[in-house]
Amino acid sequence: MNLSKLSTLAAAVAAVATLSATPAHAGKTIDAIKARGQVICGVNPSLPGFAAADSQGNWTGFDIDICKAITATLLSDVTKVKWTPLNASQRFAALQSGEIDVLSRNTTWTLTRDASLGLNFTGVTYYDGQGFMVTKKSKITSAKQLKGATVCVQSGTTTEKNLADYSKAMNLNMKPVVFETQEATNKAYFTGRCQVYTTDASGLASVRNKEATNPADHVILPDLISKEPLGPSVRRGDDEWFAIVKWVVFALIEAEEYGITQANVDQMKSSTDPVVQRILGTSEDTGKLLGLDKDWAYRAIKAVGNYGEMFERNLGPNSTLKLPRGANNLWSKGGLIYAPPVR
Amino acid sequence: MEQGRPDLRTASALSPKGIKPARPAPPKKRDWSWRSQALRSLLYQVVALALVISAGYYLLGNTLENMRLRGIKSGFDFLVQPAGFGIGESIIPFDSSESYVKAFAVGVSNTLRVSALGIVLATLLGTFIGIGRLSRNFLLRSLCGAYVEFFRNVPLLLQLFIWYFILTETLPTIEEALKPLPGVFFSKNGLQFPIPLWADGHALTLAGMSLGLVLAVWWGRQSRRHFEASGQLRPVALPALALLAGLGLLGWLLGGSPAALDIPESTELNVVGGGSLTPEYMTVLMGLTVYTAAYIAEIVRGGIQAVPFGQHEASSALGLSRGMEVRLVLLPQALRVIIPPMTSQYLNLTKNSSLAVAVGYPDLVSISTTSLNQTGRAIECIAIIMACYLTLSLLTSWFMNAYNRRSLLKER
């Protein structure tokens, strides 16, 4: 909603204005998290598969699991996390002003965001691309047929710009109708105000699945018009915290590569494989270098499983979204998911 | 000097211009000693001003310092860069390769487009409803009362959602668009209609209409003078309209009667060409009009009721017809009460148009939000929004205050 958004922004601006101008000292975020006994994680208010709350207020999803893994690593208890649902246009202000510790909200890594918003992307957790959804009735099969179409799009996303670029390059003259919230965008598309809905392909699958009366009536076109590498981000100026968020995700990817799962992580502790030993802290103490204990990665894997399990549970064929692994498979299986070694 | 209202001619003799004020006493020499009130009040003002300035300076400096430490870039340099996003509707042609400044200009024009028309429509509707509330007809009075109570007590944002829902839900899709007239399409895509294509001949039409306007104003003044001199009313509205339309028509005929129309045509996914009103624009216009009209109705009713009943009796005694009574006696007095609160409503309407973003209308706030997210310059974009609304509001106030002074001058 517009007013709440403006007030959040205004509050963030006011917060930046009144903060004392002391330089950020190392490890400040970790100290604050330990003192409050809670990680505050900015998430999408409603994007089933990535982040969504059920009627009891339990959050589930891929982005949620990443925060849970970080929380388990730092505080040994996955429940010690506070979820802050954020609109696309609120998210960066919330991170800048210190309202949240980490932003795990299907956010595209771009140069402008990385270089000018006072935040650091810790890596890519999901390789996505922007797509189009149309009704089956329209009999459209390719984005090139969308000449003159009206397109529903949410504000505060990279999507608006990609749409303009594509429309211009292909000479399609598409008309964007920009809404503030995801709900308003969904509603406008499903009432038929727009012939086309555009956002990241994973988001389209999520929206189709959750909002359509009959998901089979809607088609996601095969054309992907952009690269949308999604990943968590943290505030600049705290390298220790940056490193922890980065390496928790790497550890989850490494765990998949070396076959460590949520179910077998306890048995794996007695593994003789030196790599597994290093990840789980049974030989070298890798945690010490990050300012953590040696069980750091063990706790993350125990809490949410490895990267592949997270994907399967929230997005993969066993979930409601049924997204293919595709580019998000391990590098060794033809995908792009690759983590530097834990050593 | 321009003549005032007819019934006030005698008053001009009593106005400040008529009476020579007594020569003012020579100003006393100010006492600037430490104990003097003048010095103390000056000191207080200097201290207060210094506090405000230093607080502002501290906040600004601190903000910039914090932003620098956190690696947040700042500055207005982004304004000249290409915006890179498209805008769904605008009266100024806009392309995604044009600059952010242009995008903001489109946002302001869209805000103006909806609030200016909204102010006119809300004033008309509100005046009717306000007068309706004073009607002797029970049904009309109650309906107008119910209107005011309903629309004033439901949040505007909710009303916008309801209007938008009604429009987008009930209208047919573009393939099955309603065609009430040839070339007119009404669908979920909005209302599309033919507009005249610009031809050189239209310049003469415009010239004719301008001449008509000048003559109409002249005629209005002439008939006022005639009325003041003789007490006889001459028709004003109809001749004025006739002058405007007649001379416009004459210009059009002289210009070779260009009749080419830009007629919308339906393509596979859209209707292109012609003029168009999107459902978003109609929603915001309707929502703002209907909501603000409820407040204006109350102001109009209050203003009319503030005129003492004796004025009505007096005008009846003079033998004025009901229409003349309203136009010459009641309205001039009611306006003095009405104009100041009306100004606030106009300001409210303009500011409330910022809710347009909720239903996808690309107003100033919507464009700023997008720009903010593309560039991350939150403080700058919010400052631009504030500056734009402040300017619009101050202009509206200034205009209305000037009008208010005009209606106040003739105090008896």
Side-chain angles (χ1 to χ4, degrees):
Chain A
M1 227 127 292
N2 175 42
L3 284 182
S4 72
K5 186 223 72 196
L6 264 190
S7 60
T8 309
L9 275 178
V13 168
V16 176
T18 49
L19 280 173
S20 65
T22 48
H25 81 83
K28 204 170 66 170
T29 313
I30 304 166
D31 291 347
I33 290 171
K34 286 193 171 146
R36 93 168 84 86
Q38 227 179 15
V39 174
I40 305 177
C41 183
V43 295
N44 196 310
S46 172
L47 188 65
F50 284 89
D54 65 13
S55 54
Q56 269 89 49
N58 299 316
W59 287 83
T60 50
F62 187 78
D63 286 341
I64 296 294
D65 282 349
I66 288 169
C67 272
K68 282 185 176 170
I70 297 165
T71 312
T73 307
L74 210 61
L75 300 172
S76 317
D77 182 352
V78 285
T79 61
K80 288 189 173 163
V81 53
K82 185 180 155 198
W83 308 108
T84 303
L86 295 168
N87 263 347
S89 45
Q90 300 168 329
R91 54 188 161 181
F92 300 121
L95 189 62
Q96 288 164 351
S97 64
E99 199 187 317
I100 56 174
D101 297 318
V102 54
L103 179 69
S104 179
R105 190 204 174 284
N106 55 308
T107 299
T108 306
W109 185 354
T110 66
L111 183 141
T112 313
R113 287 175 174 179
D114 205 355
S116 72
L117 294 184
L119 49 85
N120 276 328
F121 284 86
T122 63
V124 178
T125 52
Y126 188 95
Y127 289 95
D128 210 340
Q130 183 176 339
F132 294 107
M133 178 159 73
V134 294
T135 55
K136 191 163 239 170
K137 218 174 58 186
S138 69
K139 300 201 171 62
I140 291 168
T141 52
S142 154
K144 292 178 189 70
Q145 292 167 274
L146 296 174
K147 198 168 179 71
T150 309
V151 187
C152 279
V153 50
Q154 194 191 348
S155 79
T157 56
T158 47
T159 324
E160 283 182 81
K161 214 164 190 163
N162 297 334
L163 179 67
D165 287 351
Y166 185 75
S167 173
K168 206 177 165 93
M170 296 286 163
N171 201 13
L172 291 177
N173 195 19
M174 293 193 269
K175 293 245 173 304
V177 185
V178 182
F179 294 90
E180 182 76 44
T181 60
Q182 177 117 37
E183 294 78 50
T185 323
N186 294 346
K187 185 143 206 167
Y189 171 73
F190 286 108
T191 55
R193 166 65 184 104
C194 309
Q195 292 118 336
V196 190
Y197 190 124
T198 186
T199 186
D200 298 348
S202 62
L204 290 176
S206 174
V207 166
R208 174 170 69 172
N209 211 354
K210 189 184 76 168
E211 303 287 336
T213 20
N214 181 13
D217 288 345
H218 300 271
V219 197
I220 296 170
L221 300 180
D223 319 59
L224 293 184
I225 63 166
S226 70
K227 291 188 290 184
E228 305 288 334
L230 311 179
S233 50
V234 295
R235 216 167 14 262
R236 264 198 199 190
D238 189 342
D239 293 352
E240 278 68 22
W241 174 235
F242 176 53
I244 288 176
V245 174
K246 188 163 51 177
W247 280 97
V248 167
V249 175
F250 287 157
L252 296 175
I253 296 171
E254 285 268 285
E256 185 184 7
E257 202 173 334
Y258 291 94
I260 312 170
T261 64
Q262 194 171 16
N264 74 9
V265 66
D266 285 301
Q267 290 119 275
M268 286 301 244
K269 272 205 152 182
S270 49
S271 160
T272 51
D273 184 336
V275 180
V276 174
Q277 284 180 344
R278 264 199 298 275
I279 296 172
L280 296 179
T282 47
S283 59
E284 282 170 52
D285 185 356
T286 49
K288 204 161 139 195
L289 303 171
L290 287 171
L292 300 164
D293 61 358
K294 62 184 170 56
D295 282 337
W296 67 279
Y298 164 80
R299 283 198 301 273
I301 300 162
K302 183 85 181 162
V304 299
N306 65 37
Y307 179 88
E309 288 178 282
M310 271 167 41
F311 194 101
E312 292 304 313
R313 183 168 60 240
N314 297 305
L315 311 167
N318 298 328
S319 71
T320 47
L321 291 193
K322 303 192 179 10
L323 291 171
R325 261 314 268 274
N328 295 295
N329 217 330
L330 287 179
W331 65 282
S332 51
K333 292 177 185 162
L336 294 171
I337 296 293
Y338 182 102
V342 178
R343 78 170 173 245
Chain B
M1 181 188 122
E2 200 217 334
Q3 285 292 336
R5 286 202 173 69
D7 50 337
L8 300 167
R9 275 184 80 225
T10 45
S12 66
L14 298 174
S15 73
K17 276 193 179 150
I19 301 168
K20 282 262 159 66
R23 186 185 293 272
K28 266 193 201 160
K29 214 176 173 210
R30 276 261 172 112
D31 178 10
W32 286 111
S33 76
W34 275 109
R35 289 198 205 138
S36 72
Q37 200 180 357
L39 185 74
R40 264 182 291 147
S41 54
L42 182 73
L43 268 183
Y44 291 146
Q45 287 175 41
V46 167
V47 169
L49 192 67
L51 278 178
V52 169
I53 290 177
S54 50
Y57 183 76
Y58 169 75
L59 283 178
L60 186 69
N62 201 19
T63 308
L64 291 178
E65 175 69 0
N66 268 303
M67 286 170 62
R68 193 185 58 75
L69 283 173
R70 283 166 179 72
I72 305 171
K73 300 273 187 300
S74 60
F76 286 95
D77 51 328
F78 73 93
L79 283 173
V80 293
Q81 312 231 322
F85 57 86
I87 299 175
E89 58 178 305
S90 83
I91 34 175
I92 312 173
F94 180 78
D95 183 88
S96 61
S97 59
E98 291 182 271
S99 68
Y100 278 103
V101 179
K102 183 84 186 282
F104 275 106
V106 170
V108 172
S109 76
N110 277 341
T111 293
L112 278 178
R113 184 157 77 106
V114 80
S115 31
L117 195 53
I119 283 174
V120 173
L121 293 180
T123 308
L124 290 177
L125 183 63
T127 307
F128 280 120
I129 305 260
I131 293 173
R133 286 205 74 180
L134 297 170
S135 163
R136 294 195 192 95
N137 181 325
F138 171 77
L139 188 64
L140 183 62
R141 193 172 62 227
S142 325
L143 276 178
C144 291
Y147 174 95
V148 168
E149 292 310 332
F150 179 79
F151 284 106
R152 175 166 87 147
N153 291 312
V154 176
L156 176 58
L157 186 61
L158 205 63
Q159 293 189 28
L160 287 179
F161 281 138
I162 293 170
W163 288 121
Y164 193 55
F165 183 73
I166 292 175
L167 274 180
T168 52
E169 192 77 25
T170 54
L171 287 174
T173 58
I174 194 144
E175 294 87 27
E176 300 148 356
L178 300 172
K179 289 169 195 148
L181 291 168
V184 178
F185 295 78
F186 198 32
S187 69
K188 284 187 204 294
N189 219 37
L191 181 67
Q192 272 121 336
F193 47 87
I195 47 169
L197 270 175
W198 177 258
D200 294 337
H202 286 301
L204 279 173
T205 315
L206 286 181
M209 287 174 84
S210 317
L211 185 64
L213 192 69
V214 172
L215 286 177
V217 170
W218 173 81
W219 174 251
R221 290 193 175 174
Q222 279 305 108
S223 13
R224 172 153 283 171
R225 269 190 210 133
H226 178 73
F227 171 73
E228 283 161 12
S230 69
Q232 287 168 337
L233 277 174
R234 279 182 184 167
V236 175
L238 274 179
L241 214 63
L243 277 173
L244 198 67
L247 286 172
L249 190 68
L250 193 67
W252 181 68
L253 289 173
L254 283 179
S257 50
L261 288 177
D262 184 6
I263 299 172
E265 272 174 62
S266 89
T267 62
E268 205 160 324
L269 282 172
N270 206 342
V271 173
V272 291
S276 83
L277 297 175
T278 63
E280 290 78 30
Y281 179 75
M282 289 190 273
T283 300
V284 179
L285 184 63
M286 211 147 51
L288 288 175
T289 301
V290 164
Y291 177 79
T292 315
Y295 287 89
I296 290 181
E298 285 298 89
I299 293 171
V300 168
R301 179 176 70 104
I304 292 176
Q305 283 181 332
V307 180
F309 193 65
Q311 297 284 327
H312 162 69
E313 291 171 329
S315 34
S316 299
L318 285 173
L320 295 185
S321 73
R322 178 72 185 159
M324 285 164 82
E325 179 194 333
V326 168
R327 203 152 57 83
L328 298 174
V329 180
L330 295 186
L331 221 49
Q333 297 186 70
L335 273 180
R336 290 180 203 159
V337 184
I338 289 174
I339 293 170
M342 200 77 120
T343 309
S344 311
Q345 287 311 319
Y346 291 171
L347 298 180
N348 275 346
L349 188 143
T350 310
K351 287 180 286 177
N352 283 342
S353 72
S354 65
L355 290 170
V357 66
V359 292
Y361 179 67
D363 75 328
L364 173 63
V365 174
S366 171
I367 304 283
S368 306
T369 313
T370 301
S371 309
L372 189 162
N373 281 286
Q374 306 290 359
T375 60
R377 308 287 167 90
I379 293 181
E380 291 81 353
C381 286
I382 290 183
I384 292 176
I385 302 181
M386 291 190 345
C388 288
Y389 278 112
L390 191 66
T391 312
L392 286 183
S393 295
L394 288 178
L395 282 177
T396 314
S397 296
W398 173 78
F399 177 78
M400 288 301 284
N401 286 341
Y403 183 51
N404 192 28
R405 269 195 300 280
R406 257 189 73 137
S407 72
L408 275 187
L409 255 178
K410 329 288 170 14
E411 194 70 69
R412 268 153 292 188

